[in-house]
Amino acid sequence: MEVQAGPLLSDRGGEIPAGQLEYRLNGGPWIPLGPRVVLLTGSGPTGGYRTHTLEFRLVLTGREAPGMYRGSLLFTLSRL
């Protein structure tokens, strides 16, 4: 499974790069999301139902313009 992220854009023209988004999987370390990241890989049967916890956070530098920001994440599941 991979995820693609674009920048967060505000209605006032501000932009926060995707690199300021971080993620962690199953309580692991926080990692910059960047434009494209492979979250999980595997091969063969899973042996049943598996759950994963995926968390996101936004790292603010204090230089961001005020406003409401929006963005999107695209998750892709593919068979290897």
Side-chain angles (χ1 to χ4, degrees):
M1 173 173 55
E2 72 176 29
V3 62
Q4 292 177 297
L8 301 175
L9 304 174
S10 80
D11 53 354
R12 298 177 181 175
E15 182 175 315
I16 299 175
Q20 282 183 242
L21 287 168
E22 293 183 340
Y23 77 95
R24 71 178 175 179
L25 185 62
N26 298 325
W30 289 102
I31 302 168
L33 186 58
R36 175 181 257 167
V37 172
V38 174
L39 297 174
L40 293 169
T41 60
S43 62
T46 63
Y49 183 77
R50 293 171 51 189
T51 61
H52 298 280
T53 301
L54 179 60
E55 299 173 90
F56 295 95
R57 72 178 180 185
L58 179 61
V59 178
L60 298 176
T61 65
R63 295 186 301 263
E64 298 82 11
M68 180 177 289
Y69 287 79
R70 296 179 188 267
S72 62
L73 299 173
L74 175 64
F75 291 89
T76 305
L77 298 171
S78 59
R79 190 172 190 175
L80 299 174

